[in-house]
Amino acid sequence: MFIAGKRGYYAEEGMAADIILIAGLLGTKAVMSNSVDFGSASNPTAAVQGAKLKMLMVFNDKPPGILAAQPGIKSVSELRGKKIGGSTVGSLEYGWLKELLPKFGLQLDKDVIFLPIGATSMRYAALRMGTIDATALSPPSSFLAQDAGFSALLRFADHLEDIQASIVTTDDRLAGQSELVRRFMRATVKGQRVYLSNRAEAISFIMDFTRQKDRELATRVYDEHMKTIARDGTIPERLQRIVIERSKRLGGVTREIRPQEIFDFSYLRRAQAELNQSGWTP
């Protein structure tokens, strides 16, 4: 989306798009309250709990990042009684920990202490200060932590199937402003195609977006992202069901939920088809 804005793709579609950074679940609430037109949610928990939302495009089809820990901790099992930092209760990494820790003989909120701290950068700062013993970190913080000597206990992509980051909007907007959605998706797909096809330019955009001057670090971020990115913006129904069931467990939801209630890739596929038919290239 940042690339689409910088390259003027939203403007070409007749839109003045402002990208506002909103942390975690607050972003989903902003979509639900119509404070913003589109959001980027990490999981469909709100929709699974009954919010009238749809995921229109998925950016990652594997969970990125690592479980980082203080240098003296060398295994997940050593986290018993330790403090693990996260974003919020019910957040993406909270669900990962709740699912993963039992595989190592631990229970979240029973055998470890979960502390809601905030975004990745804040959790890395807490790890450095010694406020917490471990936390989930995504790039670039995951690289900075390893370079600084912190332990990488595991890579989430090696143990879990999940998504991270998606375009979300309301059912009402899909019903009443379908043309707006179509134009927004077309511009966004153009931005994604630039990101996928032009490595050097994409790395420059990462540096611009994150205000990071270290090109080597931004390059590592990009190359790592290529291992987890959903290249066509969709995920198969099998993974859709996995994601839904995980959110049901987090939210205590028991009713049957069909993937069609949560995911709608029709606007994405239409945008891709229109660009292919027009011969558009980055």
Side-chain angles (χ1 to χ4, degrees):
M1 289 184 285
F2 181 72
I3 293 174
K6 284 290 187 178
R7 275 208 168 196
Y9 297 146
Y10 292 120
E12 290 174 3
E13 296 289 348
M15 292 179 288
D18 293 322
I19 298 177
I20 305 169
L21 298 182
I22 307 175
L25 300 175
L26 293 176
T28 302
K29 292 180 179 178
V31 177
M32 293 165 59
S33 66
N34 290 314
S35 299
V36 297
D37 297 292
F38 301 91
S40 178
S42 295
N43 59 47
T45 300
V48 165
Q49 292 176 330
K52 301 300 181 182
L53 299 170
K54 288 289 188 300
M55 288 189 160
L56 308 182
M57 182 177 185
V58 172
F59 292 122
N60 294 71
D61 60 11
K62 297 181 184 66
I66 62 171
L67 180 59
Q70 295 294 339
I73 300 173
K74 301 301 181 182
S75 68
V76 177
S77 61
E78 294 176 42
L79 292 176
R80 185 178 299 275
K82 304 294 187 181
K83 292 174 287 187
I84 300 181
S87 175
T88 58
V89 174
S91 63
L92 188 68
E93 75 280 350
Y94 180 88
W96 293 347
L97 292 170
K98 195 173 184 67
E99 188 170 332
L100 268 180
L101 289 181
K103 298 180 180 180
F104 298 89
L106 302 174
Q107 298 288 332
L108 186 63
D109 295 326
K110 178 182 178 183
D111 299 312
V112 300
I113 303 166
F114 181 83
L115 298 178
I117 291 176
T120 300
S121 58
M122 297 173 65
R123 299 198 301 271
Y124 176 46
L127 189 69
R128 291 175 60 192
M129 293 172 61
T131 308
I132 55 176
D133 299 294
T135 189
L137 294 179
S138 57
S141 295
S142 57
F143 294 127
L144 294 173
Q146 291 175 87
D147 291 349
F150 291 96
S151 300
L153 301 183
L154 57 79
R155 292 182 70 254
F156 287 106
D158 293 337
H159 296 269
L160 290 169
E161 290 184 279
D162 204 355
I163 63 175
Q164 187 194 48
S166 64
I167 292 178
V168 179
T169 195
T170 63
D171 289 358
D172 287 345
R173 182 155 287 107
L174 292 176
Q177 296 179 289
S178 60
E179 178 61 18
L180 170 69
V181 177
R182 185 180 71 84
R183 290 186 283 116
F184 178 82
M185 293 304 298
R186 188 163 57 196
T188 303
V189 170
K190 288 180 179 179
Q192 189 205 35
R193 290 187 177 186
V194 172
Y195 186 79
L196 289 171
S197 65
N198 192 326
R199 181 172 179 266
E201 186 176 2
I203 291 167
S204 295
F205 276 122
I206 289 174
M207 296 173 67
D208 189 8
F209 181 70
T210 61
R211 300 178 183 177
Q212 171 62 250
K213 296 181 179 180
D214 188 338
R215 190 172 186 87
E216 180 183 355
L217 180 61
T219 299
R220 292 168 70 186
V221 170
Y222 179 84
D223 290 343
E224 182 69 15
H225 191 204
M226 287 299 101
K227 300 175 184 177
T228 63
I229 195 168
R231 292 183 174 270
D232 71 348
T234 71
I235 57 173
E237 183 174 321
R238 180 189 62 80
L239 182 52
Q240 292 176 39
R241 292 185 181 277
I242 290 173
V243 170
I244 290 171
E245 289 303 315
R246 180 176 290 117
S247 290
K248 285 173 61 177
R249 290 193 297 272
L250 277 175
V253 176
T254 57
R255 72 177 182 88
E256 179 65 25
I257 299 176
R258 296 174 296 112
Q260 295 86 344
E261 296 177 54
I262 308 297
F263 298 92
D264 183 353
F265 296 130
S266 63
Y267 290 88
L268 171 63
R269 292 190 174 107
R270 179 176 177 182
Q272 291 168 336
E274 289 174 350
L275 294 176
N276 290 341
Q277 291 168 5
S278 68
W280 187 91
T281 56

